[in-house]
């Protein structure tokens, strides 16, 4: 009897999200956020922290995704990018030449005197893996659907273009990453005594694993691009067709407004999902006023809701005006 119910996959994702929040945002509290430039630099200056944000956002949006295939896909993205971060972090501590026990402790339990943020993230892998297991059918359905689309005789051009772009992207990425790994090997070996050292074995092993994970992430990106094209190509072709209407007899507002609203909605929600924890942690968080943290988070949620509500009303007003114009034009023709 299968003890894992398909109805629990969203619960697994919620549990995983709460467990990764400390690891994702704790180290950001040590950065400077006095202006937008400093904030951008703090978020993008570290490869590992950048991938933590990507994994966190994929998990965040997976929880709220209504499309089950999309939810499954984002869950896989969150897991793969989290594993990549762990491998990257292991390599960082390897470069610092810490003992193996200390390395494992820093990666999976805690770093020095810091809180146990890594331990929470390690535990988060359990519900994340369970969520993937529960959604394995959805993942298989998505891959099968994309493969069937490419195999269809009517989509021969799509097949050629997709495989060509994928092959070029993989080949170029593999060359760049392999050269980078070899350069790192040459630099490391030049600083060591003669002979093949154990540290070089770990350098190669972790480097190869990182390359494999990067190629997997690239593959996920290519699949997402193909899926987006399949989903949106009809609307894209319709919009491009209407652009040729120099008499402006057709209105594009209602066709484009939904996409623009979706883009603004996702952007604002994503910005709030990252900005609220960072602001709450750095302003009132770990080393200051704990009681203010939930109040700041609640205020951020309310402000985000009001911003989205205002944007929604603006879009509804624009669509309503176009709807009235279309009805008026239809009445005149009659």
């Amino acid at each position: 009897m299968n003890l894992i119910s398909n109805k629990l996959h969203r619960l697994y994702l919620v549990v995983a999200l709460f467990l990764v929040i400390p690891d994702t945002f704790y180290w950001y509290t040590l950065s400077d956020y006095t202006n937008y430039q400093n904030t951008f630099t703090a978020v993008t200056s570290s490869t590992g922290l950048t991938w933590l944000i990507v994994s966190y956002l994929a998990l965040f949006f997976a929880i709220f995704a209504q499309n089950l295939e999309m939810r499954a896909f984002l869950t896989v993205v969150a897991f793969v990018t989290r594993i990549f971060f762990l491998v990257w972090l292991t390599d960082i501590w390897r470069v610092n030449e810490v003992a193996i026990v200390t390395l494992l402790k820093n990666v999976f339990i805690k770093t020095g005197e810091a809180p146990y943020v890594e331990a929470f993230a390690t535990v988060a892998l359990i519900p994340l893996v369970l969520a993937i297991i529960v959604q394995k059918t959805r993942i298989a359905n998505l891959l099968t659907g994309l493969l069937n689309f490419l195999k269809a005789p009517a989509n021969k051009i799509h097949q050629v273009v997709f495989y060509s772009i994928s092959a070029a992207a993989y080949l170029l990425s593999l060359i760049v990453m392999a050269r980078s790994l070899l350069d790192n090997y040459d630099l490391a070996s030049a600083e060591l005594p003669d002979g093949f050292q154990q540290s070089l074995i770990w350098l190669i092993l972790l480097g190869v694993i990182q390359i494999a994970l990067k190629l997997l992430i690239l593959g996920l990106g290519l699949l997402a691009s193909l899926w987006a094209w399949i989903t949106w190509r009809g609307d894209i072709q319709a919009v491009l067709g209407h652009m040729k209407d120099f008499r402006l007899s057709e209105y594009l507002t209602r066709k484009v407004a939904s996409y623009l609203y979706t883009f603004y909605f996702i952007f604002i929600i994503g910005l709030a999902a990252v900005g609220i924890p960072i602001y709450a942690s750095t302003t009132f968080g770990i080393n200051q006023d704990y009681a203010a943290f939930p109040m700041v988070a609640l205020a951020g949620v309310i402000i985000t809701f009001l911003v989205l509500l205002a944007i929604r009303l603006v879009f509804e007003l624009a669509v309503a005006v176009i709807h009235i114009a279309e009805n008026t034009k239809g009445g005149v023709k009659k």
Side-chain angles (χ1 to χ4, degrees), residues 13-36:
L13 296 177
V14 171
V15 172
L17 180 71
F18 279 105
L19 288 173
V20 302
I21 285 178
D23 185 39
T24 304
F25 295 103
Y26 172 77
W27 298 108
Y28 285 108
T29 63
L30 307 178
S31 302
D32 178 17
Y33 296 95
T34 54
N35 57 59
Y36 293 114

Side-chain angles (χ1 to χ4, degrees), residues 142-162:
L142 174 60
L143 295 177
T144 302
L146 295 177
L147 186 60
N148 290 338
F149 173 83
L150 293 174
K151 287 183 176 180
N155 299 321
K156 190 66 177 179
I157 296 179
H158 293 83
Q159 183 186 59
V160 173
V161 172
F162 178 76

Side-chain angles (χ1 to χ4, degrees), residues 244-321:
K244 301 176 183 178
D245 178 21
F246 297 105
R247 295 183 178 181
L248 301 179
S249 58
E250 297 290 338
Y251 299 108
L252 286 176
T253 305
R254 297 179 65 183
K255 297 180 176 63
V256 177
S258 62
Y259 286 97
L260 290 177
Y261 175 72
T262 301
F263 171 78
Y264 287 126
F265 184 91
I266 293 175
F267 177 78
I268 293 172
I269 289 294
L271 187 63
V274 174
I276 291 174
I278 288 179
Y279 182 78
S281 296
T282 54
T283 308
F284 302 103
I286 295 171
N287 297 316
Q288 300 184 39
D289 187 359
Y290 287 92
F293 188 98
M295 291 187 290
V296 173
L298 179 60
V301 172
I302 294 175
I303 293 174
T304 302
F305 172 78
L306 293 177
V307 171
L308 289 174
L309 180 61
I311 293 176
R312 176 75 186 194
L313 294 177
V314 171
F315 273 92
E316 287 186 357
L317 178 62
V319 171
V321 171

Side-chain angles (χ1 to χ4, degrees), residues 27 35 70 79 99 105 122 130 143 169 188 233 236 241 251 272 292 294 297-298 303:
W27 298 108
N35 57 59
M70 174 65 74
F79 177 75
K105 171 179 170 292
T122 301
L130 291 176
L143 295 177
R233 61 171 180 162
I236 292 174
Y251 299 108
L298 179 60
I303 293 174

